[in-house]
Amino acid sequence: MRIAPTITVAVAAAALLVGCAQAPGPAGQAATASTLASARVVPQPPLAPPKATPAVGARVVGTVTTGIETPWGIAFLPGNGGAFVGSRDTANIYLVRSGKPTRLVGHISGVVSNGRQGGEAGLLGFALSPRFAVDRQLYIYLSTLRDNRIVRMTWAGGRLGSLRTVLKGIPRGLHHNGGGLGFGPDGMLYASTGESGVKSLAQNLHSLGGKILRLTPAGRVPANNPFRGSYVYSYGHRNVEGFAWDAGKRLWAVEFGDKAYDELNLILPGHNYGWPATQGVTRNPRYTSPKLVWRTDVAGPSSIAIVRGVAWISALTGHRLYRVPLIGTRAGTPRQYLVGTYGRIRKVALAPGGLLWMTTSNTDGRGVPRRGDDRILAVHVS
């Protein structure tokens, strides 16, 4: 179905500057230059390509909507209320419902995208408040001219408005802006950030870049975070966008590597995942190794959804969808589906009812748009 915009809400750029939580310095210490110099990437043999299988484990069963430019964030409303979907490069927010016209319900002025310059900033991750029925809050990760930040907006009267800043000061760059948001089983808000192209920030515990952050819904530092007084939950990340929890409340995240290995990591509080000293599996005890790696030319993992013990991982560069069984704290053998069928796959999100919503990203400046792009597809997985 085509987009039928009916409502637009403009939020002044100045509104992005109010009501913020600042980032206090942590008690933990950053790795020294000598520590980084002593680490090295452990040589690894090229990975055999995952076994190609007929698309029986992931089957597209319909098109939810078409024509949204660079869809990125998705947050499902309770019941069958549809989902908020954000356009990275236009800063438009849509209400998307299967079988009904897609409506434009918001626009945030002051969001700065560099997608047309090959960049990765803009309107990024969405997360719905666990108390949405009461507080009506949608949390959003976005880019301004100066930084990346987390804001929240109120849903009322069929439109989004009343914006407040929750956390600002996340480093912003042409690339590596992270952007994932999600509420964990503990009720805390988690955010994934990139190091903004400044590699050293990933190891600097006084920076919010190259981290997974954990904060209260109000934007404060939880008392039980691994580093006292700090939002940092894990560090040493190059660029994490997607993460999800399994049934055992374990946090899994996918990470973009640098010309060698993309990663699937099991995230543990306070752990260092090695960038820029290492990528892929390492023997250095200072760093936590990934559970699974891919060559970067067949992956580009941008999001993850976990369904009945299976991780479904979208591949931007690889133009495919991966199925990875999770066995406790281990990752099984990946299989690939929909290879080359829809171009760049940006996002997979578990919808009410058990289907995945899968978005393409062919209008993001790096793909080849096709008629109807970008689109959201409904996918049956098993």
PDB file of all heavy atoms in Angstrom, residues 298-315:
ATOM      1  N   VAL A 298      29.466 -10.663   3.421  1.00  0.00           N
ATOM      2  CA  VAL A 298      28.232 -11.453   3.379  1.00  0.00           C
ATOM      3  C   VAL A 298      27.290 -11.124   4.532  1.00  0.00           C
ATOM      4  O   VAL A 298      26.271 -11.772   4.712  1.00  0.00           O
ATOM      5  CB  VAL A 298      28.528 -12.978   3.382  1.00  0.00           C
ATOM      6  CG1 VAL A 298      29.303 -13.372   2.143  1.00  0.00           C
ATOM      7  CG2 VAL A 298      29.252 -13.397   4.655  1.00  0.00           C
ATOM      8  N   ALA A 299      27.643 -10.101   5.295  1.00  0.00           N
ATOM      9  CA  ALA A 299      26.813  -9.794   6.471  1.00  0.00           C
ATOM     10  C   ALA A 299      26.449  -8.311   6.511  1.00  0.00           C
ATOM     11  O   ALA A 299      25.635  -7.852   5.734  1.00  0.00           O
ATOM     12  CB  ALA A 299      27.511 -10.263   7.747  1.00  0.00           C
ATOM     13  N   GLY A 300      27.093  -7.550   7.390  1.00  0.00           N
ATOM     14  CA  GLY A 300      26.604  -6.206   7.686  1.00  0.00           C
ATOM     15  C   GLY A 300      25.391  -6.302   8.579  1.00  0.00           C
ATOM     16  O   GLY A 300      24.322  -5.809   8.244  1.00  0.00           O
ATOM     17  N   PRO A 301      25.534  -6.945   9.766  1.00  0.00           N
ATOM     18  CA  PRO A 301      24.360  -7.231  10.614  1.00  0.00           C
ATOM     19  C   PRO A 301      23.821  -5.968  11.275  1.00  0.00           C
ATOM     20  O   PRO A 301      24.482  -5.357  12.104  1.00  0.00           O
ATOM     21  CB  PRO A 301      24.921  -8.223  11.644  1.00  0.00           C
ATOM     22  CG  PRO A 301      26.379  -7.858  11.749  1.00  0.00           C
ATOM     23  CD  PRO A 301      26.793  -7.402  10.387  1.00  0.00           C
ATOM     24  N   SER A 302      22.608  -5.605  10.923  1.00  0.00           N
ATOM     25  CA  SER A 302      22.052  -4.334  11.384  1.00  0.00           C
ATOM     26  C   SER A 302      20.969  -4.497  12.437  1.00  0.00           C
ATOM     27  O   SER A 302      20.645  -3.529  13.127  1.00  0.00           O
ATOM     28  CB  SER A 302      21.494  -3.554  10.193  1.00  0.00           C
ATOM     29  OG  SER A 302      20.621  -4.363   9.428  1.00  0.00           O
ATOM     30  N   SER A 303      20.385  -5.687  12.558  1.00  0.00           N
ATOM     31  CA  SER A 303      19.360  -5.879  13.591  1.00  0.00           C
ATOM     32  C   SER A 303      19.210  -7.357  13.890  1.00  0.00           C
ATOM     33  O   SER A 303      19.671  -8.219  13.130  1.00  0.00           O
ATOM     34  CB  SER A 303      18.014  -5.290  13.156  1.00  0.00           C
ATOM     35  OG  SER A 303      17.435  -6.045  12.116  1.00  0.00           O
ATOM     36  N   ILE A 304      18.539  -7.627  15.010  1.00  0.00           N
ATOM     37  CA  ILE A 304      18.330  -9.006  15.456  1.00  0.00           C
ATOM     38  C   ILE A 304      16.972  -9.100  16.141  1.00  0.00           C
ATOM     39  O   ILE A 304      16.587  -8.216  16.912  1.00  0.00           O
ATOM     40  CB  ILE A 304      19.476  -9.457  16.401  1.00  0.00           C
ATOM     41  CG1 ILE A 304      19.215 -10.858  16.975  1.00  0.00           C
ATOM     42  CG2 ILE A 304      19.697  -8.450  17.516  1.00  0.00           C
ATOM     43  CD1 ILE A 304      20.391 -11.396  17.796  1.00  0.00           C
ATOM     44  N   ALA A 305      16.256 -10.158  15.835  1.00  0.00           N
ATOM     45  CA  ALA A 305      15.008 -10.487  16.529  1.00  0.00           C
ATOM     46  C   ALA A 305      15.105 -11.942  16.945  1.00  0.00           C
ATOM     47  O   ALA A 305      15.572 -12.788  16.167  1.00  0.00           O
ATOM     48  CB  ALA A 305      13.806 -10.269  15.619  1.00  0.00           C
ATOM     49  N   ILE A 306      14.702 -12.256  18.158  1.00  0.00           N
ATOM     50  CA  ILE A 306      14.804 -13.625  18.673  1.00  0.00           C
ATOM     51  C   ILE A 306      13.397 -14.199  18.807  1.00  0.00           C
ATOM     52  O   ILE A 306      12.545 -13.640  19.505  1.00  0.00           O
ATOM     53  CB  ILE A 306      15.550 -13.651  20.015  1.00  0.00           C
ATOM     54  CG1 ILE A 306      16.976 -13.101  19.822  1.00  0.00           C
ATOM     55  CG2 ILE A 306      15.602 -15.076  20.567  1.00  0.00           C
ATOM     56  CD1 ILE A 306      17.784 -12.992  21.096  1.00  0.00           C
ATOM     57  N   VAL A 307      13.178 -15.318  18.114  1.00  0.00           N
ATOM     58  CA  VAL A 307      11.865 -15.952  18.065  1.00  0.00           C
ATOM     59  C   VAL A 307      12.024 -17.430  18.412  1.00  0.00           C
ATOM     60  O   VAL A 307      12.703 -18.175  17.697  1.00  0.00           O
ATOM     61  CB  VAL A 307      11.229 -15.827  16.662  1.00  0.00           C
ATOM     62  CG1 VAL A 307       9.812 -16.386  16.672  1.00  0.00           C
ATOM     63  CG2 VAL A 307      11.229 -14.377  16.184  1.00  0.00           C
ATOM     64  N   ARG A 308      11.440 -17.853  19.531  1.00  0.00           N
ATOM     65  CA  ARG A 308      11.474 -19.266  19.947  1.00  0.00           C
ATOM     66  C   ARG A 308      12.888 -19.841  19.912  1.00  0.00           C
ATOM     67  O   ARG A 308      13.142 -20.908  19.378  1.00  0.00           O
ATOM     68  CB  ARG A 308      10.519 -20.095  19.074  1.00  0.00           C
ATOM     69  CG  ARG A 308       9.060 -19.681  19.221  1.00  0.00           C
ATOM     70  CD  ARG A 308       8.135 -20.567  18.391  1.00  0.00           C
ATOM     71  NE  ARG A 308       8.378 -20.392  16.958  1.00  0.00           N
ATOM     72  CZ  ARG A 308       7.833 -19.442  16.212  1.00  0.00           C
ATOM     73  NH1 ARG A 308       7.018 -18.561  16.763  1.00  0.00           N
ATOM     74  NH2 ARG A 308       8.106 -19.359  14.921  1.00  0.00           N
ATOM     75  N   GLY A 309      13.816 -19.119  20.515  1.00  0.00           N
ATOM     76  CA  GLY A 309      15.189 -19.604  20.635  1.00  0.00           C
ATOM     77  C   GLY A 309      16.031 -19.479  19.384  1.00  0.00           C
ATOM     78  O   GLY A 309      17.146 -20.014  19.334  1.00  0.00           O
ATOM     79  N   VAL A 310      15.553 -18.759  18.387  1.00  0.00           N
ATOM     80  CA  VAL A 310      16.295 -18.572  17.135  1.00  0.00           C
ATOM     81  C   VAL A 310      16.494 -17.077  16.901  1.00  0.00           C
ATOM     82  O   VAL A 310      15.544 -16.291  16.989  1.00  0.00           O
ATOM     83  CB  VAL A 310      15.552 -19.189  15.936  1.00  0.00           C
ATOM     84  CG1 VAL A 310      16.234 -18.836  14.625  1.00  0.00           C
ATOM     85  CG2 VAL A 310      15.471 -20.704  16.092  1.00  0.00           C
ATOM     86  N   ALA A 311      17.733 -16.707  16.612  1.00  0.00           N
ATOM     87  CA  ALA A 311      18.038 -15.314  16.274  1.00  0.00           C
ATOM     88  C   ALA A 311      17.913 -15.125  14.768  1.00  0.00           C
ATOM     89  O   ALA A 311      18.527 -15.865  13.990  1.00  0.00           O
ATOM     90  CB  ALA A 311      19.446 -14.954  16.727  1.00  0.00           C
ATOM     91  N   TRP A 312      17.109 -14.147  14.375  1.00  0.00           N
ATOM     92  CA  TRP A 312      16.979 -13.750  12.976  1.00  0.00           C
ATOM     93  C   TRP A 312      17.727 -12.437  12.816  1.00  0.00           C
ATOM     94  O   TRP A 312      17.445 -11.464  13.532  1.00  0.00           O
ATOM     95  CB  TRP A 312      15.516 -13.621  12.580  1.00  0.00           C
ATOM     96  CG  TRP A 312      14.831 -14.956  12.579  1.00  0.00           C
ATOM     97  CD1 TRP A 312      14.149 -15.532  13.603  1.00  0.00           C
ATOM     98  CD2 TRP A 312      14.806 -15.894  11.504  1.00  0.00           C
ATOM     99  NE1 TRP A 312      13.689 -16.773  13.234  1.00  0.00           N
ATOM    100  CE2 TRP A 312      14.074 -17.022  11.938  1.00  0.00           C
ATOM    101  CE3 TRP A 312      15.318 -15.895  10.188  1.00  0.00           C
ATOM    102  CZ2 TRP A 312      13.858 -18.131  11.131  1.00  0.00           C
ATOM    103  CZ3 TRP A 312      15.102 -16.994   9.382  1.00  0.00           C
ATOM    104  CH2 TRP A 312      14.370 -18.102   9.856  1.00  0.00           C
ATOM    105  N   ILE A 313      18.694 -12.425  11.901  1.00  0.00           N
ATOM    106  CA  ILE A 313      19.624 -11.301  11.788  1.00  0.00           C
ATOM    107  C   ILE A 313      19.586 -10.758  10.365  1.00  0.00           C
ATOM    108  O   ILE A 313      19.769 -11.504   9.397  1.00  0.00           O
ATOM    109  CB  ILE A 313      21.052 -11.747  12.167  1.00  0.00           C
ATOM    110  CG1 ILE A 313      21.079 -12.194  13.645  1.00  0.00           C
ATOM    111  CG2 ILE A 313      22.063 -10.632  11.910  1.00  0.00           C
ATOM    112  CD1 ILE A 313      22.351 -12.891  14.062  1.00  0.00           C
ATOM    113  N   SER A 314      19.337  -9.462  10.252  1.00  0.00           N
ATOM    114  CA  SER A 314      19.292  -8.831   8.931  1.00  0.00           C
ATOM    115  C   SER A 314      20.698  -8.483   8.471  1.00  0.00           C
ATOM    116  O   SER A 314      21.565  -8.139   9.279  1.00  0.00           O
ATOM    117  CB  SER A 314      18.430  -7.568   8.988  1.00  0.00           C
ATOM    118  OG  SER A 314      18.935  -6.652   9.942  1.00  0.00           O
ATOM    119  N   ALA A 315      20.922  -8.556   7.158  1.00  0.00           N
ATOM    120  CA  ALA A 315      22.237  -8.289   6.578  1.00  0.00           C
ATOM    121  C   ALA A 315      22.110  -7.192   5.528  1.00  0.00           C
ATOM    122  O   ALA A 315      21.522  -7.403   4.475  1.00  0.00           O
ATOM    123  CB  ALA A 315      22.826  -9.557   5.967  1.00  0.00           C
TER     124      ALA A 315
END
